[in-house]
Amino acid sequence: MKPAGRRWRLPGQHWLLVIPPYLWLLLFFLAPFAIVFKISLAESTIAQPPYTALYEYVNDVLTLRLSFSNYLFLLTDSLYFDAYVSSLRIAAISTLICLVIGYPIAYGIARAQGPMQSLLLMLVVLPSWTSFLIRIYAWMGILRNNGIINTVLMALGVVDEPVRMMNTELAVYIGIVYTYLPFLVLPLYSNLVKLDNRLLEAATDLGAGPVSRFLRITLPLSMGGVIAGCMLVFIPVVGEFVIPELLGGSETLMIGKVLWGEFFNNRDWPVASAVATVMLVVLLIPISLFHRYQFREMEGED
Amino acid sequence: MTETTTIAHPAGAGQPEPGSGGAAYIELVGVSKSFDGALAVNNVDLSIRKGELFALLGASGCGKSTLLRMLSGFEQPTSGDILLEGQSLTGLPANQRPFNMMFQSYALFPHMTVEQNLAFGLKQERMDKREIESRVGEMLERVQMSEYRKRKPDQLSGGQQQRIALARCLVKRPKLLLLDEPMGALDKKLRTRMQLEIANILESVGVTCVMVTHDQEEAMTMANRIAIMDGGRILQVGTPDEIYEQPNCRYTAEFIGSVNLFDGVIVDDEVDYVNIKSPQARNTLHIGHGISGFAGQPVSVAVRPEKIQISLQKPEQAFNCEAGEVDEIAYLGSHSVYHVKLGSGMDVLVTALNDERWAGERLTWQDKVWVYWDEHSAVVLTS
Ligand SMILES: Nc1ncnc2c1ncn2[C@@H]1O[C@H](COP(=O)(O)OP(=O)(O)OP(=O)(O)O)[C@@H](O)[C@H]1O
Ligand SMILES: [Mg+2]
């Protein structure tokens, strides 16, 4: 238990430090969200902007018109519910795959010595130096029916006709895991690199072999990094639009695609806003989980 | 793959009394360790008896920790062998040795409670759950930490953490307990208390223990026997009083306590006495027993400050007696340390009890005094 006074030791300076990030949040997150939320309570019209005003002030009477029809509409059409579930499922599976691939990578980098470590870290970040879109297009080139993989497979005589990979859910997973892997590896690495080697020595001394050491010391102590990394993958993947749009097919249902369709194809801004608001509410649980662990990590450091 | 600590015992091996001159329990034979060509431990032979508390004492970097880590199995000797009850431990990895080490930093697992920390090693042995519980409870009682069983290590004080670290080793009932600088992380006041407390716990458990320290007081307080190490070698092994009263070399004499050293050569080497001439002393240094030396051999004569008398009157004896002047006095209450400057320029330390009734009777600065000692008080050092 911490003494109550401790966190607020230097009130004046503390507030100066805290204000900029809050201003930032207010300006770039809270304000846009307030606008989206406001639109989600309006009704669609053919006008400019394409939704009704929330309030009117006529003849000294303030009329507030809050429409919940957009939210109710989401319930009537199973498309939305299915899209949410499908997004969460794809995000969860991708996160799991990222974890399975990313943990050994992060562990390997954390255990590497000196210059080798910097080199490996560099290799993890290096791909993000090219544009995300270009890299996704590159994957299209690899996965196409007449792409690299199929050309090689056919030349070797492994298959007679091209394996369909483009526009499948497999392609979506490949794209997501490829893109988001560094977001899992980096926080996990920074956690694992702090692991005190003497704890592992103590465990060895008490009779633990390598498997037992990993399961009972390394893994539980790296849980903060695992959660942080997983949330950094899971949260953005739920709303992912570009990867399923470019690599996925019509069967890949994701909420980001639905959202895009409402905004740009149906021009139904209020329903699109309602979709976005619900998505945020759904994500509140993993986001708060992430912040709790992030906070704990930081607390552990000081 | 087995992770349990099992080692076969030679059947019917008699257990010698602790501390007695019985057969070696743990034996190091010509153990050396080099790191990138540099010798950290140099050809060490050592035998440790069952039930004793053995201290490795030496200055920083002398190879104490390396020796301890070879015992624990974290390092493999470059050459030589380590035997437990006559059986070689070579090649037996650290997690299979029936030895446990208490780390200087304690290395308590931060994500586990006190209880879970203690149970960790027992779970590795696949021990029955109820057995684990009773052993952990018993051990917590012994170190008087029962009421802290649900705490995490960061909610404990330094002394409490140390007791848990010790308990975590002892609960495994190791054949050998290794302590690396056990008091290193404690402040001075707590250190003195914990030295006695730990020594008591170890004695009540009856475990054989090797500890590493660079603090001579700690080694003297806690250990049954001490090995003095320097530059990877063992210089002397003995009980605390043997080491203090009969150092076998200058290094040991100077490392343990304070000492006055006269450098000189043997002039008379007889069966029952030795006379030594030193440029630092006007009169002959006389030792009342024979040594294995020869006339003309360069030696040092070591005299402890408390073995020297100080007086304003010239003593009767013609040997071991020098004139000087009180240069400095450190008053320490029960006794004082006098720095006496001899004619040769040498500074001699003398401790004297302050048992006179009047402070006015005491010696003071610039007093012309005589310092002298008995023919059995000095030790001749040949190296
Ligand atoms: N892993 C290692 N690699 C290279 N050299 C080492 C290693 N461990 C120890 N040494 C060297 O071996 C020598 C002895 O080290 P050791 O740690 O045993 O000293 P120590 O007596 O425990 O000293 P201290 O009291 O400072 O802990 C030192 O010169 C040290 O630099
Ligand atoms: Mg050391």
Side-chain angles (χ1 to χ4, degrees), chain A residues 36-59:
Chain A
V36 168
F37 186 58
K38 182 194 132 205
I39 297 173
S40 77
L41 294 173
E43 276 165 80
S44 177
T45 61
I46 303 181
Q48 190 64 269
Y51 53 87
T52 57
L54 224 51
Y55 55 86
E56 274 175 328
Y57 190 67
V58 182
N59 297 336

PDB file of all heavy atoms in Angstrom, chain A residues 36-59:
ATOM      1  N   VAL A  36     -18.725  12.262 -33.327  1.00  0.00           N
ATOM      2  CA  VAL A  36     -19.269  10.999 -33.842  1.00  0.00           C
ATOM      3  C   VAL A  36     -20.494  10.589 -33.027  1.00  0.00           C
ATOM      4  O   VAL A  36     -21.521  10.187 -33.576  1.00  0.00           O
ATOM      5  CB  VAL A  36     -18.186   9.889 -33.799  1.00  0.00           C
ATOM      6  CG1 VAL A  36     -18.804   8.510 -34.039  1.00  0.00           C
ATOM      7  CG2 VAL A  36     -17.112  10.166 -34.840  1.00  0.00           C
ATOM      8  N   PHE A  37     -20.359  10.712 -31.701  1.00  0.00           N
ATOM      9  CA  PHE A  37     -21.458  10.325 -30.824  1.00  0.00           C
ATOM     10  C   PHE A  37     -22.695  11.180 -31.107  1.00  0.00           C
ATOM     11  O   PHE A  37     -23.822  10.694 -31.168  1.00  0.00           O
ATOM     12  CB  PHE A  37     -21.023  10.467 -29.365  1.00  0.00           C
ATOM     13  CG  PHE A  37     -22.042   9.963 -28.381  1.00  0.00           C
ATOM     14  CD1 PHE A  37     -22.474   8.646 -28.440  1.00  0.00           C
ATOM     15  CD2 PHE A  37     -22.574  10.807 -27.427  1.00  0.00           C
ATOM     16  CE1 PHE A  37     -23.423   8.179 -27.552  1.00  0.00           C
ATOM     17  CE2 PHE A  37     -23.523  10.346 -26.531  1.00  0.00           C
ATOM     18  CZ  PHE A  37     -23.942   9.031 -26.593  1.00  0.00           C
ATOM     19  N   LYS A  38     -22.452  12.476 -31.321  1.00  0.00           N
ATOM     20  CA  LYS A  38     -23.559  13.394 -31.619  1.00  0.00           C
ATOM     21  C   LYS A  38     -24.254  12.973 -32.913  1.00  0.00           C
ATOM     22  O   LYS A  38     -25.495  12.898 -32.971  1.00  0.00           O
ATOM     23  CB  LYS A  38     -22.989  14.813 -31.747  1.00  0.00           C
ATOM     24  CG  LYS A  38     -24.031  15.862 -32.012  1.00  0.00           C
ATOM     25  CD  LYS A  38     -23.406  17.160 -32.468  1.00  0.00           C
ATOM     26  CE  LYS A  38     -24.147  17.651 -33.691  1.00  0.00           C
ATOM     27  NZ  LYS A  38     -23.450  18.501 -34.567  1.00  0.00           N
ATOM     28  N   ILE A  39     -23.462  12.663 -33.933  1.00  0.00           N
ATOM     29  CA  ILE A  39     -24.058  12.284 -35.219  1.00  0.00           C
ATOM     30  C   ILE A  39     -24.869  10.990 -35.069  1.00  0.00           C
ATOM     31  O   ILE A  39     -25.914  10.817 -35.693  1.00  0.00           O
ATOM     32  CB  ILE A  39     -22.967  12.126 -36.297  1.00  0.00           C
ATOM     33  CG1 ILE A  39     -22.271  13.467 -36.538  1.00  0.00           C
ATOM     34  CG2 ILE A  39     -23.555  11.600 -37.602  1.00  0.00           C
ATOM     35  CD1 ILE A  39     -21.076  13.388 -37.447  1.00  0.00           C
ATOM     36  N   SER A  40     -24.370  10.080 -34.187  1.00  0.00           N
ATOM     37  CA  SER A  40     -25.058   8.795 -34.042  1.00  0.00           C
ATOM     38  C   SER A  40     -26.456   8.968 -33.444  1.00  0.00           C
ATOM     39  O   SER A  40     -27.288   8.081 -33.531  1.00  0.00           O
ATOM     40  CB  SER A  40     -24.227   7.841 -33.178  1.00  0.00           C
ATOM     41  OG  SER A  40     -24.347   8.186 -31.819  1.00  0.00           O
ATOM     42  N   LEU A  41     -26.699  10.144 -32.808  1.00  0.00           N
ATOM     43  CA  LEU A  41     -28.011  10.385 -32.207  1.00  0.00           C
ATOM     44  C   LEU A  41     -28.912  11.196 -33.141  1.00  0.00           C
ATOM     45  O   LEU A  41     -30.026  11.566 -32.778  1.00  0.00           O
ATOM     46  CB  LEU A  41     -27.843  11.113 -30.875  1.00  0.00           C
ATOM     47  CG  LEU A  41     -27.138  10.298 -29.784  1.00  0.00           C
ATOM     48  CD1 LEU A  41     -26.865  11.159 -28.563  1.00  0.00           C
ATOM     49  CD2 LEU A  41     -27.960   9.067 -29.402  1.00  0.00           C
ATOM     50  N   ALA A  42     -28.403  11.506 -34.343  1.00  0.00           N
ATOM     51  CA  ALA A  42     -29.203  12.276 -35.309  1.00  0.00           C
ATOM     52  C   ALA A  42     -29.914  11.323 -36.269  1.00  0.00           C
ATOM     53  O   ALA A  42     -29.827  10.107 -36.137  1.00  0.00           O
ATOM     54  CB  ALA A  42     -28.292  13.235 -36.070  1.00  0.00           C
ATOM     55  N   GLU A  43     -30.633  11.926 -37.235  1.00  0.00           N
ATOM     56  CA  GLU A  43     -31.280  11.098 -38.241  1.00  0.00           C
ATOM     57  C   GLU A  43     -30.715  11.443 -39.600  1.00  0.00           C
ATOM     58  O   GLU A  43     -30.286  12.567 -39.843  1.00  0.00           O
ATOM     59  CB  GLU A  43     -32.790  11.333 -38.225  1.00  0.00           C
ATOM     60  CG  GLU A  43     -33.494  10.509 -37.174  1.00  0.00           C
ATOM     61  CD  GLU A  43     -34.898  11.007 -36.937  1.00  0.00           C
ATOM     62  OE1 GLU A  43     -35.774  10.679 -37.740  1.00  0.00           O
ATOM     63  OE2 GLU A  43     -35.080  11.763 -35.954  1.00  0.00           O
ATOM     64  N   SER A  44     -30.763  10.462 -40.471  1.00  0.00           N
ATOM     65  CA  SER A  44     -30.207  10.660 -41.801  1.00  0.00           C
ATOM     66  C   SER A  44     -31.168  11.499 -42.649  1.00  0.00           C
ATOM     67  O   SER A  44     -32.373  11.289 -42.629  1.00  0.00           O
ATOM     68  CB  SER A  44     -29.993   9.289 -42.444  1.00  0.00           C
ATOM     69  OG  SER A  44     -29.525   9.451 -43.739  1.00  0.00           O
ATOM     70  N   THR A  45     -30.646  12.490 -43.375  1.00  0.00           N
ATOM     71  CA  THR A  45     -31.465  13.230 -44.344  1.00  0.00           C
ATOM     72  C   THR A  45     -30.632  13.444 -45.589  1.00  0.00           C
ATOM     73  O   THR A  45     -29.411  13.281 -45.562  1.00  0.00           O
ATOM     74  CB  THR A  45     -31.868  14.635 -43.822  1.00  0.00           C
ATOM     75  OG1 THR A  45     -30.677  15.375 -43.607  1.00  0.00           O
ATOM     76  CG2 THR A  45     -32.717  14.563 -42.587  1.00  0.00           C
ATOM     77  N   ILE A  46     -31.310  13.815 -46.653  1.00  0.00           N
ATOM     78  CA  ILE A  46     -30.538  14.158 -47.847  1.00  0.00           C
ATOM     79  C   ILE A  46     -30.307  15.646 -47.796  1.00  0.00           C
ATOM     80  O   ILE A  46     -31.165  16.449 -48.144  1.00  0.00           O
ATOM     81  CB  ILE A  46     -31.308  13.728 -49.107  1.00  0.00           C
ATOM     82  CG1 ILE A  46     -31.565  12.239 -48.987  1.00  0.00           C
ATOM     83  CG2 ILE A  46     -30.502  14.075 -50.358  1.00  0.00           C
ATOM     84  CD1 ILE A  46     -32.285  11.632 -50.156  1.00  0.00           C
ATOM     85  N   ALA A  47     -29.175  16.008 -47.263  1.00  0.00           N
ATOM     86  CA  ALA A  47     -28.869  17.422 -47.083  1.00  0.00           C
ATOM     87  C   ALA A  47     -27.354  17.555 -46.956  1.00  0.00           C
ATOM     88  O   ALA A  47     -26.623  16.602 -47.171  1.00  0.00           O
ATOM     89  CB  ALA A  47     -29.556  17.950 -45.819  1.00  0.00           C
ATOM     90  N   GLN A  48     -26.930  18.749 -46.624  1.00  0.00           N
ATOM     91  CA  GLN A  48     -25.506  18.972 -46.388  1.00  0.00           C
ATOM     92  C   GLN A  48     -25.368  19.617 -45.030  1.00  0.00           C
ATOM     93  O   GLN A  48     -25.796  20.761 -44.873  1.00  0.00           O
ATOM     94  CB  GLN A  48     -24.957  19.892 -47.489  1.00  0.00           C
ATOM     95  CG  GLN A  48     -23.460  20.022 -47.507  1.00  0.00           C
ATOM     96  CD  GLN A  48     -22.747  18.720 -47.825  1.00  0.00           C
ATOM     97  OE1 GLN A  48     -22.414  17.991 -46.921  1.00  0.00           O
ATOM     98  NE2 GLN A  48     -22.550  18.417 -49.099  1.00  0.00           N
ATOM     99  N   PRO A  49     -24.855  19.044 -43.975  1.00  0.00           N
ATOM    100  CA  PRO A  49     -24.410  17.642 -43.840  1.00  0.00           C
ATOM    101  C   PRO A  49     -25.584  16.650 -43.862  1.00  0.00           C
ATOM    102  O   PRO A  49     -26.704  17.072 -43.587  1.00  0.00           O
ATOM    103  CB  PRO A  49     -23.721  17.643 -42.474  1.00  0.00           C
ATOM    104  CG  PRO A  49     -24.406  18.721 -41.703  1.00  0.00           C
ATOM    105  CD  PRO A  49     -24.742  19.785 -42.702  1.00  0.00           C
ATOM    106  N   PRO A  50     -25.299  15.381 -44.111  1.00  0.00           N
ATOM    107  CA  PRO A  50     -26.403  14.441 -44.343  1.00  0.00           C
ATOM    108  C   PRO A  50     -27.051  13.899 -43.075  1.00  0.00           C
ATOM    109  O   PRO A  50     -27.313  12.724 -42.973  1.00  0.00           O
ATOM    110  CB  PRO A  50     -25.735  13.319 -45.140  1.00  0.00           C
ATOM    111  CG  PRO A  50     -24.320  13.346 -44.683  1.00  0.00           C
ATOM    112  CD  PRO A  50     -23.982  14.744 -44.308  1.00  0.00           C
ATOM    113  N   TYR A  51     -27.234  14.762 -42.097  1.00  0.00           N
ATOM    114  CA  TYR A  51     -27.939  14.313 -40.892  1.00  0.00           C
ATOM    115  C   TYR A  51     -28.637  15.513 -40.261  1.00  0.00           C
ATOM    116  O   TYR A  51     -28.255  16.670 -40.490  1.00  0.00           O
ATOM    117  CB  TYR A  51     -26.987  13.658 -39.891  1.00  0.00           C
ATOM    118  CG  TYR A  51     -25.784  14.504 -39.542  1.00  0.00           C
ATOM    119  CD1 TYR A  51     -25.861  15.435 -38.505  1.00  0.00           C
ATOM    120  CD2 TYR A  51     -24.593  14.386 -40.254  1.00  0.00           C
ATOM    121  CE1 TYR A  51     -24.756  16.217 -38.205  1.00  0.00           C
ATOM    122  CE2 TYR A  51     -23.500  15.152 -39.950  1.00  0.00           C
ATOM    123  CZ  TYR A  51     -23.588  16.065 -38.930  1.00  0.00           C
ATOM    124  OH  TYR A  51     -22.517  16.850 -38.623  1.00  0.00           O
ATOM    125  N   THR A  52     -29.654  15.248 -39.462  1.00  0.00           N
ATOM    126  CA  THR A  52     -30.440  16.327 -38.856  1.00  0.00           C
ATOM    127  C   THR A  52     -29.682  16.937 -37.683  1.00  0.00           C
ATOM    128  O   THR A  52     -28.775  16.322 -37.125  1.00  0.00           O
ATOM    129  CB  THR A  52     -31.772  15.767 -38.314  1.00  0.00           C
ATOM    130  OG1 THR A  52     -31.459  14.718 -37.387  1.00  0.00           O
ATOM    131  CG2 THR A  52     -32.640  15.225 -39.426  1.00  0.00           C
ATOM    132  N   ALA A  53     -30.105  18.158 -37.334  1.00  0.00           N
ATOM    133  CA  ALA A  53     -29.485  18.816 -36.184  1.00  0.00           C
ATOM    134  C   ALA A  53     -30.041  18.201 -34.903  1.00  0.00           C
ATOM    135  O   ALA A  53     -31.153  17.679 -34.883  1.00  0.00           O
ATOM    136  CB  ALA A  53     -29.781  20.303 -36.215  1.00  0.00           C
ATOM    137  N   LEU A  54     -29.195  18.297 -33.838  1.00  0.00           N
ATOM    138  CA  LEU A  54     -29.598  17.657 -32.594  1.00  0.00           C
ATOM    139  C   LEU A  54     -30.591  18.526 -31.821  1.00  0.00           C
ATOM    140  O   LEU A  54     -31.434  18.038 -31.098  1.00  0.00           O
ATOM    141  CB  LEU A  54     -28.352  17.416 -31.737  1.00  0.00           C
ATOM    142  CG  LEU A  54     -28.240  16.066 -31.071  1.00  0.00           C
ATOM    143  CD1 LEU A  54     -28.449  14.956 -32.062  1.00  0.00           C
ATOM    144  CD2 LEU A  54     -26.882  15.939 -30.395  1.00  0.00           C
ATOM    145  N   TYR A  55     -30.424  19.828 -31.970  1.00  0.00           N
ATOM    146  CA  TYR A  55     -31.328  20.716 -31.225  1.00  0.00           C
ATOM    147  C   TYR A  55     -31.730  21.901 -32.126  1.00  0.00           C
ATOM    148  O   TYR A  55     -31.029  22.251 -33.063  1.00  0.00           O
ATOM    149  CB  TYR A  55     -30.669  21.221 -29.947  1.00  0.00           C
ATOM    150  CG  TYR A  55     -29.344  21.888 -30.171  1.00  0.00           C
ATOM    151  CD1 TYR A  55     -29.279  23.256 -30.486  1.00  0.00           C
ATOM    152  CD2 TYR A  55     -28.160  21.165 -30.080  1.00  0.00           C
ATOM    153  CE1 TYR A  55     -28.057  23.859 -30.711  1.00  0.00           C
ATOM    154  CE2 TYR A  55     -26.948  21.764 -30.304  1.00  0.00           C
ATOM    155  CZ  TYR A  55     -26.899  23.114 -30.612  1.00  0.00           C
ATOM    156  OH  TYR A  55     -25.695  23.707 -30.840  1.00  0.00           O
ATOM    157  N   GLU A  56     -32.899  22.474 -31.790  1.00  0.00           N
ATOM    158  CA  GLU A  56     -33.393  23.657 -32.482  1.00  0.00           C
ATOM    159  C   GLU A  56     -33.750  24.687 -31.434  1.00  0.00           C
ATOM    160  O   GLU A  56     -34.236  24.338 -30.361  1.00  0.00           O
ATOM    161  CB  GLU A  56     -34.651  23.300 -33.275  1.00  0.00           C
ATOM    162  CG  GLU A  56     -34.372  22.762 -34.650  1.00  0.00           C
ATOM    163  CD  GLU A  56     -35.669  22.320 -35.306  1.00  0.00           C
ATOM    164  OE1 GLU A  56     -36.581  21.867 -34.579  1.00  0.00           O
ATOM    165  OE2 GLU A  56     -35.751  22.426 -36.516  1.00  0.00           O
ATOM    166  N   TYR A  57     -33.540  25.945 -31.741  1.00  0.00           N
ATOM    167  CA  TYR A  57     -33.951  26.997 -30.818  1.00  0.00           C
ATOM    168  C   TYR A  57     -34.898  27.908 -31.595  1.00  0.00           C
ATOM    169  O   TYR A  57     -34.463  28.776 -32.352  1.00  0.00           O
ATOM    170  CB  TYR A  57     -32.714  27.736 -30.307  1.00  0.00           C
ATOM    171  CG  TYR A  57     -33.006  28.674 -29.183  1.00  0.00           C
ATOM    172  CD1 TYR A  57     -33.420  28.179 -27.940  1.00  0.00           C
ATOM    173  CD2 TYR A  57     -32.898  30.060 -29.344  1.00  0.00           C
ATOM    174  CE1 TYR A  57     -33.699  29.031 -26.902  1.00  0.00           C
ATOM    175  CE2 TYR A  57     -33.177  30.920 -28.308  1.00  0.00           C
ATOM    176  CZ  TYR A  57     -33.580  30.396 -27.075  1.00  0.00           C
ATOM    177  OH  TYR A  57     -33.860  31.247 -26.044  1.00  0.00           O
ATOM    178  N   VAL A  58     -36.174  27.625 -31.455  1.00  0.00           N
ATOM    179  CA  VAL A  58     -37.176  28.395 -32.193  1.00  0.00           C
ATOM    180  C   VAL A  58     -38.199  28.961 -31.205  1.00  0.00           C
ATOM    181  O   VAL A  58     -38.657  28.235 -30.325  1.00  0.00           O
ATOM    182  CB  VAL A  58     -37.906  27.493 -33.225  1.00  0.00           C
ATOM    183  CG1 VAL A  58     -38.927  28.312 -34.027  1.00  0.00           C
ATOM    184  CG2 VAL A  58     -36.917  26.819 -34.131  1.00  0.00           C
ATOM    185  N   ASN A  59     -38.493  30.267 -31.355  1.00  0.00           N
ATOM    186  CA  ASN A  59     -39.497  30.928 -30.499  1.00  0.00           C
ATOM    187  C   ASN A  59     -39.218  30.680 -29.017  1.00  0.00           C
ATOM    188  O   ASN A  59     -40.098  30.268 -28.258  1.00  0.00           O
ATOM    189  CB  ASN A  59     -40.913  30.435 -30.823  1.00  0.00           C
ATOM    190  CG  ASN A  59     -41.306  30.793 -32.248  1.00  0.00           C
ATOM    191  OD1 ASN A  59     -40.760  31.752 -32.815  1.00  0.00           O
ATOM    192  ND2 ASN A  59     -42.201  30.017 -32.810  1.00  0.00           N
TER     193      ASN A  59
END
